[in-house]
Amino acid sequence: MIRQIFSISAILIAVALTVTHSAIAAAEAYKTSKGEVVVTGLTPTTRYQIRFVNAQGKPGSRQDKSVNSCGEIVIERAANYTTLVVGSETIDPAALETKTHVKCKPVRNGKVVQPSGVVRARTPEAR
């Protein structure tokens, strides 16, 4: 009986961890009519390294960007790149749906949270 309770508990913990991890890793992206790429579903107040392949096929990098409190990064003039890499997410801006970006309205709780650490992006391959 104790083994059954332990097994059921272990299964429930594993399911909870899988669901939690899936919710955190659900980054999505879209482009705006202004040529921005918006990546959502990221960890708020974390810094992400941005790398890209430009229209001439040359890889490059941009400075690190902080995720706002709504879990988004807005990358200006990014729709012109052939490949964008934000952390572990590889994005083809040309294949993204165009949407209207609604500016983040953070919840004010009186605390100022400073970003910590940087999520590194792998270097994209030139085409």
Side-chain angles (χ1 to χ4, degrees):
M1 174 118 164
I2 292 178
R3 282 188 183 176
Q4 288 176 332
I5 293 172
F6 179 75
S7 296
I8 292 171
S9 297
I11 291 170
L12 291 174
I13 290 170
V15 168
L17 289 174
T18 302
V19 169
T20 302
H21 178 70
S22 297
I24 292 171
E28 293 183 19
Y30 62 90
K31 61 185 173 186
T32 69
S33 60
K34 296 179 184 177
E36 303 163 323
V37 169
V38 181
V39 182
T40 66
L42 301 172
T43 305
T45 69
T46 302
R47 292 182 65 79
Y48 281 77
Q49 186 178 59
I50 312 296
R51 294 188 177 268
F52 63 88
V53 173
N54 65 21
Q56 291 76 34
K58 296 181 182 178
S61 64
R62 301 171 58 102
Q63 70 186 108
D64 303 338
K65 291 194 68 104
S66 293
V67 178
N68 64 25
S69 60
C70 297
E72 355 174 276
I73 289 179
V74 179
I75 306 165
E76 297 81 13
R77 298 179 303 280
N80 297 327
Y81 301 138
T82 59
T83 303
L84 261 177
V85 180
V86 178
S88 63
E89 299 293 323
T90 301
I91 302 163
D92 176 4
L96 296 176
E97 179 182 357
T98 301
K99 294 183 181 180
T100 302
H101 176 66
V102 178
K103 188 171 180 164
C104 172
K105 294 180 183 172
V107 175
R108 302 270 186 225
N109 61 3
K111 292 192 266 182
V112 176
V113 180
Q114 295 296 324
S116 60
V118 175
V119 176
R120 299 276 179 211
R122 66 169 181 72
T123 303
E125 296 180 22
R127 291 183 178 191

